[in-house]
Amino acid sequence: MNRRLLDVLTGEEPDATPVWLMRQAGRYLPGYRTLRESHSILELAKDPALAAQVAEEPTRRFDVDAAIVFADIIHPLEGLGLEVRLDPGQGPVVPAPIRRAEDLRRLETPLDAEGRTGFVGATIRKLRETVSLPIIGFSAAPFTLACYALQGSYEREFPEVRRRIASDADFFRRFMMVLSASVIEYLRMQEKAGAQVIQLFDTWAGVLSESQYSTLVAPFLAEVLTSVEVPTIYFSTSSAHLLGIQASLGATALSVDWRMGLDEVAKIAGDSLVLQGNLDPTALLDSRETMERAAKDVLASVPRGTSHIFNLGHGVLPTTDPQRVKELVDLVHSETERG
Amino acid sequence: MNRRLLDVLTGEEPDATPVWLMRQAGRYLPGYRTLRESHSILELAKDPALAAQVAEEPTRRFDVDAAIVFADIIHPLEGLGLEVRLDPGQGPVVPAPIRRAEDLRRLETPLDAEGRTGFVGATIRKLRETVSLPIIGFSAAPFTLACYALQGSYEREFPEVRRRIASDADFFRRFMMVLSASVIEYLRMQEKAGAQVIQLFDTWAGVLSESQYSTLVAPFLAEVLTSVEVPTIYFSTSSAHLLGIQASLGATALSVDWRMGLDEVAKIAGDSLVLQGNLDPTALLDSRETMERAAKDVLASVPRGTSHIFNLGHGVLPTTDPQRVKELVDLVHSETERG
């Protein structure tokens, strides 16, 4: 069993820097594309045999140090009884968004995680049998779930969400309470199924102001992150202004995008947090030389004394050549091997 | 002549905090909407009489302290001979984007600002006659122009632009040189026509890493900002990670979005820079009480010793009630009047 990722997350020294990539199981892989010809994303995610097959593909092709369960971020919303569609090219769509306090009453709380989202646990159990790597479970963070539920679908900077926060913070707080409780159930279910690490994706946190985030989001995150016993990784994008708060949420690791150098991140986050990241995924779209230069820059930016998980600053892009990913994973290991 | 804005920008004490709003002349105004029924945006922008009429509408309705010339950000690109369309709901579209060094040769450089974009100067001259407020001229910053020219149209985080920077920084630098020279011509033309303040819109700067921005963007911005004699305002969004660099570009004022409190911005930017901003535009979409609470929070966040121009963190949203804008402008003046 490859323990590099767990070593870093538990304060041990690994024999090389662990590396895995967000969306390492995705549209850039031929096996995945073939499966998608006959199955929707949700069909794959809800069939543990197929979902495990998707999650395994990158572990067979590349020397990555972790597998991440294949699932969609919408399961906890669906599990609460909200109708959610995945529209091609548009992402999650909630046809009847949450708009007022009454709408909260139609949610089926608390989340019956085993009954409504148990397929994710089943996928994790399968992966534990077939893959000799740590299995990462995950959920979207409560705020990012709120973005889709309140706005109805992705919209740049989610104006409807910010409007609701400005006009009715109490309503927003009540909704965050419901979502946090559900995410906790969802993550505990994954932990029980065998997830050895949990990552929270808070992709849209950066649209909020520092003060909104610290009063209306951070307290819920702290609760979620301390509700599981395994190490946790917190991911967000475009949120340099939130970094100081994010460093004290209680996550084991912070996963950051390419916008700040890891040395600059460490200055704010301190050296007790593990840092994950942060190669710009577009650096994988070109020549091997471009990729190598950019990857070495990331490795060089890790300050002495800071523990590092190599990853991208956001997910692998669909037009990425799998060969570049293979080269990247091997480069990270060969550059960081400890004799 | 109302001099509040010029006072703040030249180190004088105004009798109240000046206020104007990005996109104060826009789709939320009935007069503008009526004109748009029979004219495209470019028809309005290229007809100085109509463009002046559009720019004047908010100055007649509200007690704002500045008028901004009505123009589109694409004029300097068009002026270089690039075909650019404005597609409804999509913004600027460049059907044949710049992809390689040869493409730079088809640009008609240097920009003949008077010949190709002189209508913007004509609008400014008209406004100087009819409006007794300072007239703000503007341009998109070189990088934000590069985003459209390289990507072809708005795409979240402009992956093609980042890919080109990672794979061929020299090509990107050459293009930035062309764009900066053009923006300088364009702004000097506006200054000569009578613009008393210049704002640079670098809306997409925040997609870049700190290191990309400091080496490939900041040097050009410094050149542009020091090429005019009137005071300058530099605007970008989602760029907390760039703030330290932005503070030393040579702009008179920094215009920031709602993500950081102005007190936090001032800690990084120092107190020799004027700060402009930063009410979340969604705070204008609801009740008067919501708007007042949020606007007072902005005013309270301005540190003693920091000069302030009240504005939004981004443009007025199309669904805004003009009545809210009127109330906001009056509130800013009444709250900040110096006896």
Side-chain angles (χ1 to χ4, degrees):
Chain A
M1 161 92 180
N2 172 338
R3 284 193 47 93
R4 280 178 190 139
L5 180 69
L6 298 178
D7 280 349
V8 165
L9 289 168
T10 56
E12 306 289 320
E13 178 105 345
D15 63 344
T17 296
V19 50
W20 69 280
L21 306 183
M22 291 183 276
R23 289 209 203 115
Q24 64 185 19
R27 268 197 283 164
Y28 75 108
L29 287 181
Y32 179 81
R33 277 204 304 273
T34 304
L35 279 171
R36 282 299 311 285
E37 281 166 19
S38 44
H39 300 280
S40 71
I41 292 177
L42 292 184
E43 280 166 11
L44 293 180
K46 292 181 182 179
D47 180 323
L50 292 176
Q53 191 181 328
V54 169
E56 284 164 22
E57 185 178 8
T59 70
R60 282 195 317 270
R61 287 177 177 269
F62 318 121
D63 191 20
V64 287
D65 298 302
I68 180 161
V69 64
F70 184 77
D72 197 84
I73 63 159
I74 71 168
H75 305 315
L77 290 178
E78 274 195 328
L80 289 170
L82 262 188
E83 188 197 340
V84 193
R85 294 195 314 255
L86 279 185
D87 284 8
Q90 218 207 333
V93 173
V94 179
I98 302 286
R99 284 286 146 88
R100 54 190 74 76
E102 299 91 88
D103 295 335
L104 297 182
R105 267 182 251 134
R106 58 181 165 100
L107 298 177
E108 296 157 20
T109 56
L111 176 70
D112 172 10
E114 210 47 79
R116 307 296 301 267
T117 60
F119 50 89
V120 177
T123 306
I124 290 172
R125 280 188 292 272
K126 271 197 185 302
L127 289 170
R128 284 296 300 264
E129 284 166 23
T130 55
V131 176
S132 56
L133 294 171
I135 308 301
I136 303 173
F138 75 90
S139 175
F143 175 70
T144 289
L145 291 173
C147 283
Y148 292 108
L150 294 171
Q151 185 82 42
S153 64
Y154 173 81
E155 202 167 312
R156 191 158 64 79
E157 300 184 325
F158 293 93
E160 175 62 19
V161 179
R162 284 150 49 218
R163 183 184 80 77
R164 292 312 309 272
I165 292 176
S167 67
D168 193 350
D170 280 343
F171 160 78
F172 178 76
R173 197 180 277 114
R174 282 181 52 204
F175 188 34
M176 284 293 284
M177 239 185 299
V178 172
L179 290 171
S180 302
S182 303
V183 168
I184 289 173
E185 294 303 317
Y186 184 59
L187 293 177
R188 282 185 174 153
M189 181 272 295
Q190 293 183 55
E191 186 180 34
K192 228 158 71 187
Q196 291 132 301
V197 175
I198 290 292
Q199 177 152 326
L200 267 189
F201 287 85
D202 212 357
T203 316
W204 309 128
V207 307
L208 291 178
S209 76
E210 214 176 352
S211 106
Q212 290 167 331
Y213 183 82
S214 74
T215 56
L216 297 168
V217 173
F220 296 105
L221 283 170
E223 234 186 299
V224 170
L225 287 163
T226 52
S227 71
V228 290
E229 285 171 20
V230 298
T232 53
I233 306 172
Y234 177 76
F235 169 76
S236 66
T237 70
S238 229
S239 47
H241 60 301
L242 308 176
L243 197 52
I245 310 166
Q246 293 176 336
S248 51
L249 293 172
T252 319
L254 275 191
S255 190
V256 297
D257 67 20
W258 63 85
R259 289 173 170 85
M260 283 175 81
L262 293 178
D263 45 351
E264 296 297 320
V265 174
K267 277 185 204 161
I268 299 173
D271 57 8
S272 64
L273 267 173
V274 177
L275 297 187
Q276 176 173 282
N278 68 346
L279 182 69
D280 187 328
T282 66
L284 291 172
L285 297 180
D286 238 281
S287 67
R288 177 171 185 152
E289 290 64 42
T290 295
M291 177 280 288
E292 289 192 347
R293 193 171 50 231
K296 286 178 183 172
D297 281 351
V298 169
L299 289 170
S301 74
V302 181
R304 213 170 271 278
T306 295
S307 299
H308 181 218
I309 303 163
F310 198 102
N311 206 318
L312 304 182
H314 211 152
V316 181
L317 295 164
T319 54
T320 303
D321 179 350
Q323 177 62 20
R324 258 330 73 74
V325 172
K326 183 176 172 22
E327 292 158 2
L328 169 66
V329 169
D330 292 342
L331 176 87
V332 171
H333 288 150
S334 67
E335 289 282 318
T336 61
E337 250 174 337
R338 276 131 197 143
Chain B
M1 159 92 179
N2 172 337
R3 285 193 46 93
R4 280 178 190 140
L5 180 69
L6 297 177
D7 280 348
V8 166
L9 288 168
T10 55
E12 306 287 320
E13 178 103 345
D15 62 343
T17 295
V19 50
W20 68 281
L21 307 184
M22 290 183 278
R23 288 208 203 115
Q24 66 186 14
R27 268 197 282 163
Y28 75 108
L29 287 181
Y32 179 80
R33 278 206 304 274
T34 303
L35 277 171
R36 282 300 309 286
E37 282 166 19
S38 44
H39 300 279
S40 71
I41 292 177
L42 291 184
E43 280 167 12
L44 293 179
K46 293 180 181 180
D47 180 323
L50 291 176
Q53 190 181 329
V54 169
E56 284 164 23
E57 184 178 8
T59 69
R60 284 195 316 270
R61 287 177 178 269
F62 318 122
D63 191 20
V64 287
D65 298 303
I68 180 161
V69 64
F70 183 76
D72 196 84
I73 63 159
I74 72 168
H75 305 316
L77 290 178
E78 274 194 328
L80 288 170
L82 263 188
E83 188 196 339
V84 194
R85 295 195 314 255
L86 280 184
D87 283 8
Q90 219 207 332
V93 173
V94 179
I98 301 286
R99 283 287 145 88
R100 54 190 72 77
E102 300 92 87
D103 295 335
L104 297 182
R105 268 181 250 134
R106 59 183 163 100
L107 298 177
E108 297 157 21
T109 55
L111 176 72
D112 172 11
E114 208 50 78
R116 307 296 301 268
T117 60
F119 49 89
V120 177
T123 305
I124 290 172
R125 281 188 290 272
K126 271 200 185 302
L127 288 169
R128 285 296 300 264
E129 284 167 24
T130 54
V131 176
S132 55
L133 294 171
I135 308 301
I136 304 173
F138 75 90
S139 175
F143 175 71
T144 288
L145 292 173
C147 282
Y148 293 108
L150 294 171
Q151 186 82 41
S153 63
Y154 173 80
E155 202 166 313
R156 192 158 63 80
E157 299 185 327
F158 293 93
E160 175 61 21
V161 179
R162 285 151 47 220
R163 183 183 80 77
R164 291 313 308 272
I165 293 175
S167 67
D168 194 350
D170 280 342
F171 160 80
F172 178 76
R173 197 179 279 115
R174 282 180 54 204
F175 189 32
M176 284 292 286
M177 240 185 297
V178 171
L179 290 171
S180 303
S182 303
V183 167
I184 289 173
E185 294 303 315
Y186 183 58
L187 293 178
R188 282 184 173 153
M189 180 273 295
Q190 293 184 53
E191 186 180 35
K192 226 157 75 185
Q196 290 133 302
V197 175
I198 290 291
Q199 177 152 325
L200 266 190
F201 287 84
D202 212 357
T203 316
W204 308 128
V207 307
L208 292 178
S209 76
E210 212 176 353
S211 108
Q212 290 167 331
Y213 183 82
S214 74
T215 56
L216 297 169
V217 173
F220 296 105
L221 283 170
E223 235 187 297
V224 170
L225 286 163
T226 51
S227 71
V228 291
E229 284 171 21
V230 298
T232 53
I233 305 172
Y234 176 76
F235 169 75
S236 66
T237 69
S238 230
S239 47
H241 60 302
L242 307 176
L243 197 51
I245 310 166
Q246 292 176 336
S248 51
L249 294 173
T252 319
L254 275 191
S255 191
V256 297
D257 68 20
W258 61 87
R259 288 172 171 87
M260 284 175 80
L262 293 177
D263 44 352
E264 296 297 321
V265 174
K267 277 184 203 161
I268 299 172
D271 58 9
S272 64
L273 267 174
V274 177
L275 297 187
Q276 176 173 282
N278 68 347
L279 183 69
D280 188 329
T282 66
L284 290 173
L285 298 179
D286 237 280
S287 66
R288 178 172 185 151
E289 290 65 40
T290 294
M291 177 280 288
E292 288 192 345
R293 191 171 52 229
K296 286 179 182 171
D297 280 350
V298 170
L299 289 170
S301 75
V302 182
R304 210 171 273 278
T306 295
S307 300
H308 181 219
I309 303 163
F310 198 102
N311 206 315
L312 304 182
H314 211 153
V316 180
L317 294 164
T319 53
T320 303
D321 179 350
Q323 176 61 21
R324 250 343 64 76
V325 172
K326 184 179 173 20
E327 291 159 3
L328 169 66
V329 169
D330 292 342
L331 176 87
V332 171
H333 289 150
S334 67
E335 290 281 318
T336 60
E337 251 175 337
R338 278 132 196 141

